[in-house]
Amino acid sequence: MFRMPDGPCCYVDVDDTLIKWSVPTGDEPENELVTVVCRDIKQTFAINKYNLEYLEKLAVRGHLIIVWSAAGAVWAEAVVKAFGIEHLVIATMSKPTYYVDDIRDANQFMGKHVFFDENGVRTGYAPKRDLNEK
Ligand SMILES: [Mg+2]
């Protein structure tokens, strides 16, 4: 069994978070591109540089960074390697499809859930915790 170190921990999504799923047309000069090689297939994506910079900021401040994807750990690892940020990421994994807990509302035990738009503008957090709510 693998035991994660204790400490602040941040899970970062891949598709449409670190990379933009839309295929670049070449008409987006502001977009930097990254080529990801996964299972011997190369694909090019636009980088969401704001979220990548946010990941780097958290990592430098001591957060354990886990990059996860609904497409699986292999895909997440390929994207991490394409960015060359293996030194900042402690693990890649699939997004949970199931979890068991005595607390019904994940917002009560998960930390901040931060949302950014494609321009790096923070658009929200998960709903604030209401301790009186059943
Ligand atoms: Mg996504």
Side-chain angles (χ1 to χ4, degrees):
M1 180 173 73
F2 175 72
R3 179 176 50 81
M4 293 284 292
D6 288 331
C9 189
C10 179
Y11 294 79
V12 181
D13 181 40
V14 172
D15 294 306
D16 287 330
T17 299
L18 290 178
I19 59 171
K20 298 175 186 176
W21 188 236
S22 57
V23 177
T25 63
D27 295 332
E28 306 94 352
E30 72 281 1
N31 283 330
E32 296 178 40
L33 305 179
V34 63
T35 299
V36 180
V37 181
C38 186
R39 298 182 176 100
D40 297 326
I41 296 174
K42 285 185 183 178
Q43 294 178 304
T44 299
F45 299 92
I47 298 169
N48 187 327
K49 63 182 179 183
Y50 304 104
N51 287 340
L52 180 59
E53 289 170 5
Y54 195 72
L55 178 158
E56 292 168 340
K57 287 177 184 174
L58 291 175
V60 167
R61 286 161 177 76
H63 282 73
L64 302 169
I65 305 295
I66 294 100
V67 176
W68 68 7
S69 174
V74 171
W75 173 240
E77 180 181 27
V79 172
V80 166
K81 288 181 175 176
F83 281 126
I85 57 171
E86 299 97 314
H87 61 292
L88 300 177
V89 176
I90 192 166
T92 62
M93 61 180 280
S94 296
K95 276 188 173 177
T97 52
Y98 196 88
Y99 70 87
V100 178
D101 199 285
D102 65 311
I103 301 171
R104 287 175 183 247
D105 182 0
N107 290 316
Q108 291 189 6
F109 66 90
M110 296 288 282
K112 294 176 186 173
H113 191 162
V114 188
F115 308 93
F116 296 95
D117 69 13
E118 286 196 358
N119 298 313
V121 177
R122 186 178 297 165
T123 57
Y125 289 101
K128 288 189 176 177
R129 184 171 161 176
D130 182 356
L131 297 175
N132 297 319
E133 190 175 73
K134 296 288 180 189

